[in-house]
Amino acid sequence: MTPEDRFEVGIIVARRRLKGPWASHAWMPVAALPAAPAAPAWTQLGETEDEATFYAGAYEVTLHIAETAHYRDNLVSGRPSLWVSLRATGEETYEIATVTADPYEGEAMAEGIGEIVEAVPMPPEIQAKLLAFFEAFHIERTFEKRKRDRADPEALARRARIESGRGE
């Protein structure tokens, strides 16, 4: 049986109170669920004095065969993660922009401006799916440094004579 190349996750975000003078709170992804629950997006899950958590919605993660080495790096990192990106859609409203298991794509997303990006722990069920995909499709490629041919000065001289119209 071929492993799935896509699966759905549910994303949990938090609105955390800040103590600085510039902003009263910050939004950030905090967890991924191994499946999307039946709850509607932006259902409040809980609230304390310093934090409110919400189910932000579902997102379909797509795996790519060319990135299997990246998935392996994520799985053996000691802290397998999913990178979640939130995009503002208005004042105090957000949508899930991207969720990826590729740590290098996640790092690149974090360098962008305007989106909130956080690495959240990858649930064991998702780790198992990622490992099955890796095992089914990974092909180890050895790095081979290309060697350049040494220049032949005689060939260069012949080519210069031909290009100038003098022939050989």
Side-chain angles (χ1 to χ4, degrees):
M1 187 166 101
T2 305
E4 298 174 41
D5 66 345
R6 56 190 74 231
F7 52 86
E8 197 170 61
V9 294
I11 301 299
I12 306 296
V13 299
R15 184 184 66 218
R16 293 191 173 148
R17 186 161 53 152
L18 300 175
K19 300 189 187 322
W22 308 111
S24 62
H25 61 277
W27 289 91
M28 64 186 310
V30 293
L33 304 172
W42 296 103
T43 299
Q44 186 167 347
L45 303 175
E47 188 168 7
T48 66
E49 186 178 319
D50 293 327
E51 179 178 279
T53 55
F54 298 85
Y55 167 64
Y59 191 88
E60 185 176 79
V61 178
T62 303
L63 303 177
H64 303 281
I65 292 172
E67 297 174 352
T68 56
H70 299 178
Y71 303 145
R72 176 196 52 213
D73 293 348
N74 189 358
L75 289 169
V76 301
S77 69
R79 185 178 180 250
S81 301
L82 292 172
W83 281 260
V84 179
S85 173
L86 298 178
R87 177 183 306 126
T89 57
E91 192 171 323
E92 292 304 310
T93 58
Y94 294 88
E95 68 180 358
I96 303 166
T98 307
V99 178
T100 184
D102 179 346
Y104 306 107
E105 182 182 3
E107 183 179 317
M109 290 179 347
E111 293 175 359
I113 297 173
E115 292 184 355
I116 301 166
V117 179
E118 288 292 329
V120 301
M122 185 185 300
E125 298 89 340
I126 302 300
Q127 291 178 40
K129 289 179 182 184
L130 200 61
L131 180 60
F133 187 84
F134 169 81
E135 289 174 343
F137 296 110
H138 183 69
I139 298 170
E140 195 64 44
R141 292 178 175 87
T142 57
F143 177 75
E144 294 181 27
K145 187 170 182 177
R146 193 171 58 100
K147 292 184 179 179
R148 298 182 72 161
D149 295 332
R150 294 188 57 93
D152 178 5
E154 291 299 316
L156 294 173
R158 282 191 302 273
R159 190 167 115 200
R161 282 194 301 266
I162 291 170
E163 288 176 356
S164 69
R166 291 185 288 176
E168 283 197 45

